[in-house]
Amino acid sequence: MNRLFLSCLFFFIAAQFAAVFSQKPPALKKYWVELTDKNNSPYCLCHPEEFLSARTLDRRALAGIPVEENDLPVNPVYLDGLRAKGALVHNTSRWLNAATVIADSATAADLSGLAFVKKVSYLGPHIRIKNAPDRLPKKRTPLTEVPQVKGRNSVWGYAGRQNSLLGLDLLHAAGNRGEGIWIAVMDGGFTNADTVALFDSIALDHRLFQGRDFVERDGAVYESAAHGTSVLGVMAGNIPGWFVGGAPDATYFLLKTEDTGGEFPVEEANWIAGVEWADSMGIDLVNASLGYTQFNDTTLGHWYRELDGRTAIGSRGAAIAATKGMIICNSAGNEGDGPWRYIGVPADAPGLIAVGAVDLDGRRAEFSSQGPTADGRIKPDLSAPGAPVISTAGRGAELDLAFGTSLASPMLCGGLAALWSANRDKTANEILKTVLANADQSNRPDNLKGYGIPDLDRAWLQLAGFASGPSINDCREGFFASRDNQLQFLIFNQPGNIEAVYLHDGLGNRVPVQLLNYKQDKVSTLSVVFPENTPPGSCRLTVVTDAGCWRLWAVVF
């Protein structure tokens, strides 16, 4: 009897333990939590340096962009309130006053009842972290032999045709290759970017940084996917004579916002967190070769009617990003020949530059997503090479062909960086306005190629005050117009070191001038300042150098 009792007791206890250990913890999910206000925040608009870098504030000041309430960080007291309910704060958005949190369904329901919470929306399941945290970059192996393209003399190598289509010839020849420009690249990962030879120069020159991983919340980005590596290549690649990208002298910050474990709306929230980080750091240009239409959970997908730039959270954040003094380039999408056809989120955002793809003859690629937006705006905004494009193969110095607006977007971004580096006194809006005006469909934009393919050389000449004819080839060396008491000159050779400068007006009178700027390269640039009372008309500038004497003609008006 006692044995029977003990046996029953044993099985009872075992059953209880089995029941306890067989219970699975509730599934964790990600949610978008919109907050009501920023009241009683410890941050103040009177001290923007507490949450925005000096470089950001300088960029804003140049463009006359004020620091506004939406720049204030999310109230930390509210974030503590979310944590007190059991939620893990994943990312935040100061512009949209929201937080992405990880929680189970019951906790998410509790969050909805908090007084400072406006809305809680489901973003998808919480996908477990797969990569080791904060992985250090691998050691770079020097090239034993620098590859060269046989039969070609171009410094661009295999990138020559795609760079030329954007009109980068004069810009690069004059030494404008992105120096001083900061670019944030948002993608799903940058596998082998820490070892690929194309990036040796930017890495060794301390111009390649792991920014942040907004998916796994650490500082390691050389993982998960090689898509970002290919995107980076067309901008930052630099092996002269083999492959040179659009902006090899720029500084790059790599951000991981795309979760390669699945396609869910949380990636739009990551996109916003990434671009807000970029703004706060003082980034000039952002490239995001990302877009969202449908998700693994089909109930969360977007409808075309939502593509109005103010409905999807990714588009709402992107629209604000475009007002902060940065240039945001985003791929238009590759759905042009599929059932969806249209651009995705956040390419529909106003102010963001949605980039379509063309082939190397300038024809629109059939796969390139088209517009208009749901509210009738023209999209894409511009087009760039993307069918195909040459970039890194992700191994050593090897190259490969790639297709897609994912490549067109960084092609344009790199070109814009080169242009902006030649015009650091210009704002993002001034750069974009000039680029749009010098694209091949500027007078007849459509929803297939937007304003078309930009001619960045012509945009540079216009921004710098150089006069030019209908094409770049019509420019005559040294014959350029004045702007704001300045004479701007291009010299298409190697003039040497300047020893003296003399200006004579149309009557032969010598006019005192001051040398303002001289940059010597394959195409050299020179500018001088002349007195306001200089009579209008043709004049002659004599430049005495250690290599000889140069006489350049100009017009004062």
Side-chain angles (χ1 to χ4, degrees):
M1 188 72 175
N2 288 338
R3 288 182 180 178
L4 180 60
F5 173 78
L6 290 174
S7 177
C8 291
L9 179 62
F10 170 79
F11 283 112
F12 174 78
I13 294 173
Q16 293 302 309
F17 271 102
V20 169
F21 286 107
S22 66
Q23 290 178 358
K24 293 183 179 179
L28 292 178
K29 304 173 184 179
K30 289 193 173 82
Y31 295 89
W32 177 254
V33 182
E34 295 187 33
L35 306 173
T36 56
D37 55 65
K38 294 183 178 180
N39 295 342
N40 303 313
S41 171
Y43 299 100
C44 174
L45 295 179
C46 55
H47 290 292
E49 70 280 358
E50 294 182 357
F51 47 90
L52 296 175
S53 70
R55 186 180 171 98
T56 300
L57 296 174
D58 287 344
R59 187 193 67 223
R60 300 269 193 100
L62 177 64
I65 298 172
V67 179
E68 301 175 301
E69 183 178 342
N70 66 9
D71 290 309
L72 293 172
V74 174
N75 192 331
V77 175
Y78 291 171
L79 297 179
D80 288 341
L82 300 179
R83 296 186 184 101
K85 286 289 187 179
L88 175 66
V89 176
H90 185 65
N91 285 316
T92 63
S93 170
R94 50 192 167 92
W95 292 340
L96 299 181
N97 195 25
T100 304
V101 303
I102 301 172
D104 56 41
S105 301
T107 301
D110 286 345
L111 298 182
S112 300
L114 293 173
F116 55 83
V117 171
K118 183 196 299 185
K119 183 180 180 182
V120 177
S121 305
Y122 174 59
L123 294 177
H126 172 52
I127 300 173
R128 299 292 179 179
I129 295 173
K130 299 178 181 178
N131 298 297
D134 295 315
R135 182 180 74 76
L136 296 175
K138 299 175 185 175
K139 184 178 180 181
R140 290 186 173 272
T141 303
L143 287 173
T144 56
E145 182 179 352
V146 179
Q148 297 287 290
V149 179
K150 294 180 180 180
R152 298 188 191 180
N153 296 319
S154 170
V155 68
W156 284 339
Y158 282 112
R161 190 172 180 187
Q162 61 200 45
N163 287 348
S164 291
L165 192 62
L166 290 174
L168 286 172
D169 308 74
L170 278 180
L171 267 172
H172 275 215
N176 303 306
R177 308 194 317 165
E179 183 177 0
I181 298 296
W182 286 12
I183 302 175
V185 187
M186 305 201 307
D187 217 284
F190 303 85
T191 301
N192 292 340
D194 50 346
T195 61
V196 168
L198 284 183
F199 307 134
D200 284 356
S201 63
I202 59 172
L204 297 175
D205 199 26
H206 305 291
R207 292 185 288 107
L208 180 63
F209 296 96
Q210 295 192 85
R212 184 172 294 183
D213 181 342
F214 292 91
V215 178
E216 300 182 358
R217 299 298 302 169
D218 64 13
V221 300
Y222 299 131
E223 59 192 19
S224 300
H227 185 267
T229 308
S230 182
V231 165
L232 181 65
V234 300
M235 295 185 281
N238 190 26
I239 300 180
W242 179 247
F243 185 94
V244 176
D249 293 344
T251 297
Y252 293 89
F253 297 81
L254 310 183
L255 309 179
K256 201 171 95 178
T257 64
E258 181 81 353
D259 193 335
T260 56
E263 195 80 353
F264 294 98
V266 67
E267 292 165 308
E268 295 181 35
N270 296 344
W271 193 104
I272 298 169
V275 78
E276 288 187 10
W277 182 92
D279 170 60
S280 69
M281 289 293 292
I283 297 297
D284 301 299
L285 294 108
V286 175
N287 183 82
S289 292
L290 305 166
Y292 308 101
T293 55
Q294 302 302 309
F295 300 105
N296 293 143
D297 183 340
T298 57
T299 64
L300 299 175
H302 294 300
W303 297 90
Y304 173 70
R305 63 175 178 268
E306 297 177 311
L307 300 184
D308 56 7
R310 59 182 183 272
T311 298
I313 59 173
S315 303
R316 289 163 54 200
I320 296 174
T323 68
K324 299 299 183 180
M326 301 179 290
I327 295 177
I328 317 292
C329 295
N330 201 99
S331 52
N334 302 325
E335 304 289 340
D337 55 356
W340 175 268
R341 289 192 347 212
Y342 297 106
I343 57 170
V345 170
D348 62 315
L352 173 146
I353 303 302
V355 187
V358 296
D359 64 22
L360 294 179
D361 291 320
R363 298 182 296 254
R364 171 183 171 266
E366 291 185 0
F367 61 76
S368 185
S369 291
Q370 65 187 58
T373 61
D375 57 340
R377 286 174 289 112
I378 287 177
K379 288 284 180 174
D381 299 275
L382 290 165
S383 294
V389 162
I390 297 175
S391 188
T392 174
R395 301 174 299 275
E398 293 181 40
L399 302 175
D400 203 354
L401 285 176
F403 293 76
T405 59
S406 287
L407 280 301
S409 184
M411 280 294 304
L412 178 64
C413 187
L416 293 176
L419 176 63
W420 208 348
S421 70
N423 301 275
R424 291 302 286 142
D425 60 328
K426 304 299 182 185
T427 66
N429 284 341
E430 289 173 316
I431 295 291
L432 289 176
K433 181 180 179 181
T434 306
V435 168
L436 290 168
N438 285 280
D440 66 354
Q441 292 189 171
S442 60
N443 294 323
R444 44 184 175 79
D446 59 32
N447 287 302
L448 297 177
K449 291 173 58 179
Y451 284 75
I453 308 166
D455 187 331
L456 298 176
D457 277 338
R458 284 190 61 81
W460 172 52
L461 292 175
Q462 183 175 328
L463 284 166
F466 298 119
S468 64
S471 72
I472 298 300
N473 293 329
D474 293 336
C475 296
R476 286 177 286 170
E477 179 176 76
F479 193 84
F480 297 103
S482 66
R483 181 190 71 173
D484 299 331
N485 290 82
Q486 293 182 29
L487 288 173
Q488 316 283 336
F489 294 92
L490 290 181
I491 306 173
F492 293 84
N493 46 46
Q494 302 292 322
N497 297 315
I498 293 179
E499 297 176 350
V501 178
Y502 308 103
L503 182 68
H504 291 84
D505 63 22
L507 300 177
N509 300 315
R510 184 168 171 175
V511 178
V513 293
Q514 175 187 353
L515 181 63
L516 183 65
N517 184 297
Y518 175 56
K519 185 176 180 181
Q520 187 177 356
D521 216 300
K522 292 181 181 179
V523 173
S524 300
T525 57
L526 175 128
S527 60
V528 298
V529 178
F530 58 88
E532 290 186 9
N533 60 358
T534 302
S538 63
C539 59
R540 184 183 74 222
L541 186 77
T542 302
V543 182
V544 180
T545 76
D546 57 5
C549 184
W550 303 85
R551 291 179 175 84
L552 307 171
W553 296 92
V555 174
V556 172
F557 57 89

